[in-house]
Amino acid sequence: EDQVTQSPEALRLQEGESSSLNCSYTVSGLRGLFWYRQDPGKGPEFLFTLYSAGEEKEKERLKATLTKKESFLHITAPKPEDSATYLCAVLNNYGQNFVFGPGTRLSVLP
Amino acid sequence: KAGVTQTPRYLIKTRGQQVTLSCSPISGHRSVSWYQQTPGQGLQFLFEYFSETQRNKGNFPGRFSGRQFSNSRSEMNVSTLELGDSALYLCASSIGTAFDQPQHFGDGTRLSIL
């Protein structure tokens, strides 16, 4: 059974304090790993898709990386507007079902 | 460009009733997927419709069903509501199939079961 865990559950950073969020997964053949951010009262917003180990993608202050067992979302010099819950999800090669992790709730203090 | 629109935003029902939720995708998007989000279980995939056909389905009972119309608008129906069905129901659309293209989510319908 495909599983996704995320750590930490919650993270508080000072503005400008870089850090990383972890997404660990077990899947029967990875077809894709997805990162989303979700603001309170809103639907998730797509950030990245990663397909194979070693792949990296960047968007503004965010950089996502992928290994065979986990993915990291690196946040460089975060700003208060980066505060949100970050979700990762995996899709296996059978392509039948997204499995989401529980999310990391990030708070960036000014 | 208008985003994904879900109606209604809030809904209160009682056990045993049925409910229909609506989703209008982004113009030009042919795939609509439905998700359930609860504090305990997180975000869970319900099913995906593409060109009016159900393509993929998550692990939910048959009480949860959906359909997609020729204009790509979609509805989700839940019959014989249970207290555990209280959740935020999210709809997402994508240009191609949900598993191959980035999904764009609506802000959800919050369903409360009394």
Side-chain angles (χ1 to χ4, degrees):
Chain A
E1 183 179 331
D2 300 340
Q3 290 188 332
V4 178
T5 59
Q6 291 186 248
S7 62
E9 182 177 329
L11 181 63
R12 299 181 72 177
L13 299 173
Q14 290 295 133
E15 185 173 2
E17 179 186 3
S18 301
S19 188
S20 297
L21 312 183
N22 176 266
C23 171
S24 295
Y25 63 90
T26 55
V27 64
S28 50
L30 181 69
R31 178 170 173 179
L33 184 142
F34 308 82
W35 281 99
Y36 287 85
R37 70 168 278 167
Q38 186 173 22
D39 295 301
K42 299 287 187 180
E45 175 189 344
F46 172 79
L47 293 173
F48 304 109
T49 306
L50 301 168
Y51 295 101
S52 56
E55 189 174 2
E56 300 182 351
K57 288 192 176 175
E58 289 188 65
K59 179 181 179 181
E60 297 180 354
R61 295 177 292 282
L62 301 177
K63 179 180 178 180
T65 62
L66 181 65
T67 72
K68 289 187 177 180
K69 293 184 178 180
E70 56 192 351
S71 176
F72 291 93
L73 185 64
H74 307 278
I75 303 177
T76 302
K79 298 181 178 181
E81 53 261 42
D82 294 323
S83 298
T85 295
Y86 289 84
L87 300 165
C88 76
V90 297
L91 178 66
N92 64 29
N93 277 328
Y94 303 100
Q96 293 178 342
N97 190 3
F98 280 108
V99 176
F100 279 82
T104 291
R105 190 170 62 255
L106 175 66
S107 300
V108 182
L109 308 176
Chain B
K1 190 175 185 180
V4 177
T5 304
Q6 293 189 244
T7 57
R9 288 298 311 277
Y10 303 92
L11 203 50
I12 299 175
K13 292 286 187 178
T14 57
R15 283 184 301 172
Q17 288 187 309
Q18 74 167 14
V19 67
T20 299
L21 311 181
S22 180
C23 173
S24 293
I26 292 172
S27 178
H29 286 196
R30 297 169 63 190
S31 167
V32 173
S33 298
W34 289 90
Y35 294 82
Q36 181 194 68
Q37 188 171 35
T38 60
Q41 299 297 318
L43 194 58
Q44 295 182 280
F45 172 75
L46 280 156
F47 35 65
E48 178 199 9
Y49 284 86
F50 182 84
S51 295
E52 302 178 65
T53 301
Q54 187 179 92
R55 287 183 59 92
N56 298 289
K57 189 175 190 304
N59 300 321
F60 278 81
R63 299 187 298 108
F64 292 81
S65 63
R67 60 177 175 169
Q68 187 180 32
F69 302 97
S70 58
N71 62 357
S72 293
R73 191 177 70 84
S74 178
E75 290 182 345
M76 186 188 81
N77 185 76
V78 187
S79 62
T80 318
L81 287 165
E82 301 176 358
L83 293 177
D85 297 333
S86 293
L88 179 67
Y89 289 89
L90 292 159
C91 160
S93 74
S94 54
I95 292 175
T97 62
F99 295 166
D100 294 317
Q101 298 289 334
Q103 295 183 79
H104 301 265
F105 282 81
D107 290 336
T109 294
R110 185 163 295 281
L111 175 63
S112 299
I113 311 301
L114 304 180

